[in-house]
Amino acid sequence: MENNLSYQSGFGNYFETEAEKGALPIGQSMPQKPARGLYAEQLNGTSFTAVRSENQKVWFYRLRPSIALHNDFKIYEHRTLKSAPFDKIPTPPTQLRWNPLPIPSRPIDFIDSIITMAGNGVTNQSGCALHFYACNKSMENRYFYNSDGEMLLVPQQGDVKIKTECGVLDVTPYEICVIPRGIKFQVEIKGSARGYIGENYGAPFVLPNLGPIGANGLANARDFKIPGAHYEDKKGSFELLCKFQGHVWTSAIERSPLDVVAWHGNYVPYKYDLRNFQVINTVSYDHPDPSIFTVLTSPSYKPGTANIDFVIFPPRWMVAEHTFRPPYFHRNIMSEFMGLIHGEYDAKADGFLPGGASLHNCMQPHGPDKITYEAASLAELKPQKITNTMAFMFESYMVYHPTEIALNSEFRDKKYLDCWKGF
C-alpha cells in the first residue's frame, strides 16, 4: 500500500484526496455501495443550514464506521486539563507571568501533559481555554478527539507528527496546526516537545477580513497546508479518549480510528508557517494596534470583537519617526494571553522567556518594563529590523480566568510586577 502524503495548498476551499485509487466516488457523496467495501460517513463542523460560504463538512470513506469502533465511555481522571465554567476560584486583576513549563522527567504523552492555564466562556460554542503542554513520549496506542472545540497548537520546542483521520501533518516550531472539533488524532514525537494550545469553543477560526488593507497581506490563503489521505488498518488493544462537556472520557477500542482511505470536504486539519506572514506596519509615526498582526480569528456574536484572535509579533522593520516604537502603556477591553516561541519580545528586556506566558486581563494596565522604556525613549530612530523574535497572543473579548493550577504553580513568576518598579 502506498499512501498519498503530499500536502495540498489552500484555505477555506473544497478539497478531495484518496490514498487508494478509485476510493472516492464520482459525482455523488453517498453511493449505494461505496468502492472497495468502504463506508461513507459525513462529519459536519457547522449546522446543515449554515450559509454556503460558512458551511463546513467532510465526507469520509473509511474501513469501518465510527460508531462501530468504540464501546461505552467512562470518565478519565485527568488532573491538569480543565474546562469551563472556570469559576472554581476568584479571578484576580493582577498581571500574571509564567516561566516555561519544565520538560518532565517521567514519560508522559501529549494528552496527559496538558496543563490548563486559563479560560473563559462556556462550552456551548463560545469562549476558549488556553493550555501548556510538555511531553517526552508519543501517544502509543492512544487516540483523542475534542467534542468541545477546535485546537490550535503552537509548538515552541520539538517537532510533532500529528496523525489525523484526514492524514498526517508534520509540525515544527514556527508553524501552527489547527485540528477541527471532532477530528480524531494521535501525536508522535521524537525526544521531547513543548508548546501552547488554544482551545476554541466558538466559531471556527477564519482568516480576518482585510478591510482598507486591500486584497493582499497578513496570512495569505495559499500558504495554509492540508494533509493528503493516509490511513491505518491496525487491529489491537487501543484507547480512545474524548473531551466532552469539559470532561475527558475513555473507551477501549480494538482498531485504529485513523482508517479513512479517502475524503472530500473543507472541514479538515491544516498547518501554517508563521514565517510566511506578510507584516503590515506603519511607515510614518506611532505604534499601530496589534490587530494588524492577526493570523486567525474566531468571530464573536458582536461585530468588531473576537471570541479569540491569534496574533503574532514576527520579525519586521521598525521605521516610525518621532515615536516610542515598542508597545505602549495601555489598558484594553480585550484580554491578552501572550506566549513566546523564540527570542525576545520587544516590550520586555528580560524575564519573558521562550515557552513562558503572560496574562493581562480586561482593563488591567500593562506595557514596556522600565529598562525597555528608558532605552526606547533615548534610541536613535533610524530604520531597525527586529529579527530575534516570534511572540504571539491569544486575545479575547471575554476575561480569562486563570486556573488554580496556574495561580499556584511553581513556574509562576512571583516577581513579575517588579519589572515596572522605578518609574
Side-chain angles (χ1 to χ4, degrees):
M1 179 181 67
E2 189 170 314
N3 291 318
N4 171 22
L5 285 173
S6 62
Y7 292 129
Q8 299 182 39
S9 299
F11 183 89
N13 299 313
Y14 204 89
F15 308 97
E16 63 177 34
T17 174
E18 56 185 13
E20 300 285 357
K21 189 174 182 179
L24 274 174
I26 303 300
Q28 66 176 122
S29 298
M30 186 64 246
Q32 183 179 18
K33 288 187 177 182
R36 298 178 173 270
L38 300 174
Y39 295 88
E41 177 180 286
Q42 185 178 211
L43 174 62
N44 293 84
T46 55
S47 64
F48 293 131
T49 53
V51 297
R52 182 185 289 267
S53 61
E54 298 176 4
N55 204 297
Q56 295 188 352
K57 67 179 184 293
V58 61
W59 276 97
F60 289 142
Y61 301 92
R62 59 193 318 149
L63 299 180
R64 293 159 197 86
S66 292
I67 188 62
L69 290 174
H70 68 79
N71 299 299
D72 283 347
F73 281 96
K74 300 178 181 179
I75 282 287
Y76 182 80
E77 297 296 340
H78 199 301
R79 295 179 299 172
T80 57
L81 177 58
K82 306 300 178 183
S83 198
F86 299 106
D87 58 359
K88 186 176 181 180
I89 56 176
T91 298
T94 307
Q95 298 84 351
L96 302 170
R97 186 164 70 184
W98 294 271
N99 294 318
L101 188 64
I103 299 296
S105 56
R106 63 182 180 87
I108 188 170
D109 68 16
F110 172 79
I111 294 299
D112 282 344
S113 77
I114 295 174
I115 296 178
T116 304
M117 302 302 292
N120 57 37
V122 292
T123 53
N124 60 350
Q125 300 183 4
S126 68
C128 54
L130 308 174
H131 317 276
F132 281 169
Y133 72 86
C135 53
N136 55 13
K137 176 185 176 183
S138 295
M139 290 174 62
E140 298 172 358
N141 300 326
R142 308 178 87 196
Y143 304 88
F144 178 82
Y145 67 101
N146 191 334
S147 295
D148 291 340
E150 66 182 339
M151 301 173 72
L152 192 162
L153 275 63
V154 186
Q156 184 272 319
Q157 175 181 308
D159 301 349
V160 293
K161 181 185 291 290
I162 304 175
K163 301 168 66 176
T164 78
E165 290 179 278
C166 295
V168 180
L169 290 168
D170 291 307
V171 187
T172 66
Y174 292 102
E175 293 182 318
I176 61 170
C177 173
V178 174
I179 305 172
R181 183 194 306 245
I183 293 284
K184 299 180 177 72
F185 68 93
Q186 181 185 60
V187 176
E188 294 183 353
I189 64 168
K190 291 183 179 179
S192 61
R194 180 172 65 193
Y196 312 82
I197 304 169
E199 182 185 8
N200 174 26
Y201 303 143
F205 282 114
V206 294
L207 292 174
N209 293 321
L210 295 179
I213 294 175
N216 306 289
L218 310 187
N220 293 308
R222 67 187 296 259
D223 293 325
F224 288 80
K225 307 296 183 183
I226 65 169
H230 177 77
Y231 70 96
E232 298 178 344
D233 187 7
K234 293 169 59 176
K235 184 176 181 180
S237 179
F238 306 118
E239 180 182 25
L240 180 62
L241 296 165
C242 169
K243 185 171 181 290
F244 180 71
Q245 292 295 290
H247 298 284
V248 180
W249 301 78
T250 179
S251 174
I253 56 176
E254 296 180 353
R255 291 185 180 275
S256 168
L258 308 185
D259 65 352
V260 176
V261 181
W263 59 263
H264 67 83
N266 61 355
Y267 190 64
V268 296
Y270 56 89
K271 74 171 187 173
Y272 173 74
D273 191 329
L274 301 177
R275 290 164 292 196
N276 290 328
F277 189 80
Q278 183 182 351
V279 179
I280 305 295
N281 210 339
T282 181
V283 292
S284 56
Y285 61 88
D286 285 354
H287 186 96
D289 295 330
S291 50
I292 62 166
F293 300 122
T294 302
V295 180
L296 294 168
T297 183
S298 166
S300 75
Y301 71 95
K302 183 179 180 181
T305 63
N307 181 66
I308 179 173
D309 278 337
F310 177 68
V311 180
I312 65 171
F313 304 96
R316 60 200 182 276
W317 279 98
M318 305 288 276
V319 299
E321 296 181 302
H322 312 297
T323 294
F324 181 81
R325 287 180 176 175
Y328 43 81
F329 297 113
H330 68 289
R331 292 176 288 169
N332 192 0
I333 190 66
M334 304 285 279
S335 294
E336 304 174 1
F337 183 94
M338 287 200 65
L340 185 60
I341 299 170
H342 171 76
E344 301 174 352
Y345 177 52
D346 59 327
K348 295 292 185 291
D350 57 21
F352 189 35
L353 305 174
S358 66
L359 173 59
H360 305 139
N361 257 323
C362 170
M363 293 303 174
Q364 304 315 313
H366 52 286
D369 56 28
K370 187 171 185 295
I371 297 175
T372 300
Y373 179 81
E374 291 178 343
S377 298
L378 300 173
E380 181 184 356
L381 295 182
K382 58 184 179 180
Q384 173 195 9
K385 187 171 185 181
I386 300 177
T387 56
N388 184 36
T389 190
M390 182 61 80
F392 72 89
M393 181 167 63
F394 286 122
E395 188 176 55
S396 176
Y397 81 101
M398 289 182 282
V399 167
Y400 286 121
H401 303 281
T403 61
E404 186 176 16
I405 295 171
L407 288 175
N408 298 327
S409 66
E410 294 182 356
F411 52 92
R412 177 182 166 187
D413 183 356
K414 304 295 197 305
K415 297 183 179 181
Y416 180 33
L417 297 181
D418 290 351
C419 75
W420 289 293
K421 288 183 177 180
F423 282 107

